[in-house]
């Protein structure tokens, strides 16, 4: 169990931040960065990727309180691995990681955890690359329907809101 000082949490949570390549400011004061890995990883041809999260932990079991009315994260970022295969010492594996055989179960649990820690009306930003698995297949794993997002191309973003009207029927 990770020891977390809840009073120090920031309004944004990135549950699998990797090398923080998304960010205009990699040390922004508004994001709690989490990843299951910590370290510097060989990426071939002399390149390395450093993953240095604030919290080392699994997105299928987030160590934060439930969100709700005026409590919880305002924004959660979820960019899980999307590749079925990558060379053992490749840049893609070092940067993004790869899917294992239970990925559907784990990514579904990841979605549920992201929504659990969001405040009501909080926003989830999900990113996927459709190179190996279609977007529709992964969106089905979420307990909420996506609100909007780009619907073409390999790299896709989907925006969700934690609102009862967007929850899927059980
Ligand atoms: C596609 S990369 C994220 C890249 C990141 N968005 C960036 O800006 O660099 C996916 C990340 O998910 C992490 N990851 C994989 N399984 C995880 C899990 N169960 N919990 C938390 N992080 C996980 C990997 O270590 C990897 O860094």
């Amino acid at each position: 169990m990770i020891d977390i000082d809840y009073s120090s949490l920031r309004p944004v949570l990135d549950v699998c931040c990797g090398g923080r390549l998304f960010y205009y400011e990699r040390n922004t004061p508004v994001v709690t960065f989490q990843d299951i890995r910590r370290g510097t990883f060989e990426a071939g041809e002399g390149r390395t990727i450093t993953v240095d999260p604030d919290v080392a932990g699994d997105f299928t079991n987030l160590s934060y309180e439930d969100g709700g009315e005026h409590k919880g994260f305002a924004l959660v970022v979820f960019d899980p691995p999307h590749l079925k295969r990558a060379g053992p010492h490749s840049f893609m594996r070092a940067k993004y990681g790869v899917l294992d055989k239970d990925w559907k179960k784990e990514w579904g649990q990841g979605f549920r955890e992201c929504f659990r820690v969001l405040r009501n009306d909080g926003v989830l930003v999900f990113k996927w690359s459709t190179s190996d698995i279609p977007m529709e297949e992964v969106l089905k794993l979420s307990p909420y329907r996506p609100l909007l997002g780009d619907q073409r191309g390999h790299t896709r973003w989907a925006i969700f809101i934690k609102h009862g009207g967007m929850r899927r029927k059980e």
Side-chain angles (χ1 to χ4, degrees):
M1 196 65 183
I2 303 152
D3 194 17
I4 293 169
D5 171 7
Y6 284 95
S7 64
S8 69
L9 288 183
R10 297 140 177 210
V12 182
L13 171 67
D14 187 330
V15 296
C16 48
C17 65
R20 309 186 186 190
L21 305 179
F22 279 167
Y23 291 85
Y24 290 98
E25 286 176 47
R26 295 208 182 140
N27 285 316
T28 169
V30 301
V31 181
T32 296
F33 291 101
Q34 170 164 336
D35 202 282
I36 204 162
R37 298 184 293 169
R38 186 191 292 285
T40 296
F41 302 93
E42 295 292 326
E45 297 170 11
R47 292 179 292 186
T48 57
I49 287 278
T50 297
V51 179
D52 184 21
D54 302 314
V55 176
D58 189 338
F59 58 56
T60 66
N61 185 19
L62 296 175
S63 305
Y64 314 100
E65 294 172 322
D66 292 358
E69 199 64 28
H70 308 302
K71 70 179 184 113
F73 293 97
L75 171 66
V76 174
V77 180
F78 186 31
D79 175 23
H82 55 267
L83 294 169
K84 280 186 171 166
R85 284 172 289 276
H89 304 294
S90 66
F91 188 60
M92 295 300 270
R93 178 182 287 265
K95 198 158 127 186
Y96 298 134
V98 290
L99 300 171
D100 73 14
K101 66 177 177 28
D102 286 331
W103 75 269
K104 277 195 180 178
K105 196 169 143 210
E106 290 171 16
W107 281 204
Q109 177 63 13
F111 270 115
R112 285 191 289 280
E113 281 291 87
C114 291
F115 282 108
R116 180 182 67 72
V117 302
L118 270 176
R119 63 179 60 171
N120 292 356
D121 294 341
V123 170
L124 173 67
V125 172
F126 175 72
K127 190 216 133 194
W128 190 249
S129 170
T130 61
S131 50
D132 287 358
I133 293 166
M135 183 72 160
E136 297 66 35
E137 208 172 310
V138 70
L139 291 181
K140 276 195 249 169
L141 304 174
S142 164
Y144 287 76
R145 304 188 303 280
L147 182 64
L148 60 97
D150 44 1
Q151 314 211 358
R152 283 178 209 181
H154 279 310
T155 302
R156 299 279 188 85
W157 295 83
I159 311 298
F160 296 76
I161 183 164
K162 182 177 174 177
H163 184 285
M166 296 305 293
R167 208 178 159 89
R168 292 189 203 278
K169 296 194 174 55
E170 298 295 320

